[in-house]
Amino acid sequence: MPDLSTAWLGLALPNPVVASSSPLAERLDDLRRLEDAGVAAVVLHSLFEEQITLEAHDLDSILGRGTESQAEAATYFPEMRAWNLGPVAYLEHLAKVKAALRIPVIASLNGATTGGWIRYARRLEEAGADALELNVYAVPTDPDRSGQDVERALLDLVGDVVTRVRIPVAVKLTPFLSAPVHMARELAAAGARGLVLFNRFYQPDLDLEQLEVVPSLTLSSPWTLRLRLRWVAIVSNHTTADLAVTGGVHSAEDVLKCMMVGARVAMMTSALLRHGPGHVTTVLADLAAWMQAHEYDSIRQMQGSMSQRAVADPAAFERANYIRVLRSWGTRPAGA
């Protein structure tokens, strides 16, 4: 039996399949099913910056209401047991999940700016999180804000979070960085223990009848993986941070590709939503079978074996591949 073990963020894992943030993380029963199926770790659904700041604002407003009234105004003070604040509920859920599961539980904090909400990184650690994934979702629309300003803000945000916790922090990145390799190195220097490539931004659609902008959610397909493979293969030789792939991981073959370009773990969401937690068992069985058939003793043996630096033709990950693809189409016989 091949050794499927790997390490992510300093956590020893029995295999490289991690369940990334999804609605499955909201239900303890689903998380137990994922663990029973063999998933190595889970990333909880995100606690959003907006949830924290909005709840704090609402609570402050209620606590301050009637403060200019007479002494009897103390009755305005809310009955806190009747309040189910989003952040509090998240912390309670995290604590229950951590108590129920044996595998590592990674909390997710989603935000875009520095501010008071970042203190929740420490509270997530106190609730039992083994690591923290910082999911930075920002759409830079200010025409006066340069790309350098955007990247500086990201580094500042990561630095602020890292200084508040002792657990390892991973950063989930956008694919729209102007210099991903440079940022990967800078983020590691800022304290990020791992990088997750890449965040999938859910694009809005247009309703032509109602003339409205509507939300649209489409699960990933295996072809989504190609962008991730390319950049992990390039970045893996230029950063000390562990790398994870998320987006387009559906099968054992996808996991193998992630390992070979230099990732430490492969994160699944869409495949689990489509097929259920039991899909992990199938993927792990197929993974072991492929490794046996191709005489691989361990996952660690293959990690990075097809990174940009390791392959015979490193230019295949760069502009040369673009030219070859165009030429390969042009040389196809008629009717192909």
Side-chain angles (χ1 to χ4, degrees):
M1 178 70 178
D3 179 7
L4 303 185
S5 66
T6 185
W8 167 243
L9 306 179
L11 303 170
L13 303 180
N15 66 71
V17 179
V18 172
S20 51
S21 181
S22 80
L24 292 173
E26 298 177 7
R27 297 179 291 271
L28 185 55
D29 286 347
D30 286 333
L31 290 170
R32 285 195 177 107
R33 291 170 62 202
L34 284 168
E35 181 180 59
D36 291 342
V39 78
V42 295
V43 182
L44 295 187
H45 54 291
S46 290
L47 175 59
F48 289 87
E49 173 183 353
E50 289 82 358
Q51 284 179 280
I52 297 170
T53 55
L54 179 61
E55 294 287 7
H57 178 271
D58 289 348
L59 180 58
D60 181 68
S61 175
I62 289 174
L63 291 176
R65 192 177 301 157
T67 52
E68 299 302 320
S69 303
Q70 57 183 339
E72 286 77 4
T75 56
Y76 285 112
F77 199 89
E79 175 53 59
M80 298 305 293
R81 287 174 296 180
W83 281 70
N84 183 20
L85 299 180
V88 173
Y90 187 96
L91 293 170
E92 292 174 348
H93 178 65
L94 169 58
K96 290 178 182 177
V97 169
K98 183 58 187 171
L101 302 185
R102 299 179 302 276
I103 58 177
V105 177
I106 302 170
S108 176
L109 195 57
N110 188 310
T113 64
T114 57
W117 67 278
I118 295 175
R119 72 181 184 276
Y120 270 84
R122 178 62 177 165
R123 298 188 66 178
L124 293 170
E125 178 180 26
E126 292 170 347
D130 295 288
L132 176 63
E133 181 180 276
L134 182 57
N135 189 339
V136 183
Y137 188 111
V139 182
T141 57
D142 185 350
D144 295 323
R145 196 179 186 199
S146 69
Q148 186 176 15
D149 292 339
V150 172
E151 294 178 355
R152 184 70 258 167
L154 171 58
L155 292 172
D156 290 343
L157 175 58
V158 172
D160 284 351
V161 171
V162 167
T163 58
R164 293 170 188 264
V165 295
R166 294 184 297 272
I167 56 175
V169 175
V171 182
K172 197 170 189 178
L173 293 177
T174 168
F176 304 117
L177 294 168
S178 59
V181 180
H182 175 77
M183 279 302 295
R185 187 175 63 187
E186 292 296 297
L187 286 165
R193 187 73 177 271
L195 304 175
V196 182
L197 282 65
F198 285 116
N199 204 340
R200 289 184 65 225
F201 289 159
Y202 299 108
Q203 310 296 344
D205 200 356
L206 300 180
D207 185 326
L208 296 180
E209 297 301 324
Q210 300 298 323
L211 299 182
E212 294 178 345
V213 179
V214 295
S216 177
L217 172 60
T218 303
L219 297 180
S220 76
S221 300
W223 64 263
T224 311
L225 183 63
R226 296 178 185 178
L227 178 69
R228 281 86 180 155
L229 295 177
R230 182 187 192 186
W231 280 109
V232 170
I234 296 171
V235 169
S236 61
N237 297 311
H238 300 282
T239 182
T240 57
D242 291 344
L243 300 180
V245 170
T246 187
V249 180
H250 287 251
S251 65
E253 289 79 6
D254 296 333
V255 176
L256 288 162
K257 292 174 184 178
C258 295
M259 298 301 101
M260 289 185 177
V261 295
R264 292 293 173 261
V265 295
M267 296 185 169
M268 283 190 172
T269 300
S270 294
L272 299 179
L273 292 175
R274 280 197 179 100
H275 306 296
H279 183 60
V280 176
T281 303
T282 301
V283 170
L284 293 177
D286 291 346
L287 183 61
W290 189 97
M291 291 174 64
Q292 284 183 316
H294 294 78
E295 300 182 348
Y296 278 90
D297 296 324
S298 70
I299 285 290
R300 296 171 191 267
Q301 178 186 354
M302 71 174 64
Q303 283 173 331
S305 62
M306 293 192 69
S307 67
Q308 185 185 37
R309 183 176 296 174
V311 297
D313 184 12
F317 288 110
E318 299 180 6
R319 183 173 169 82
N321 193 56
Y322 167 75
I323 299 171
R324 289 171 190 165
V325 168
L326 294 180
R327 287 181 175 174
S328 68
W329 181 265
T331 56
R332 291 186 181 186

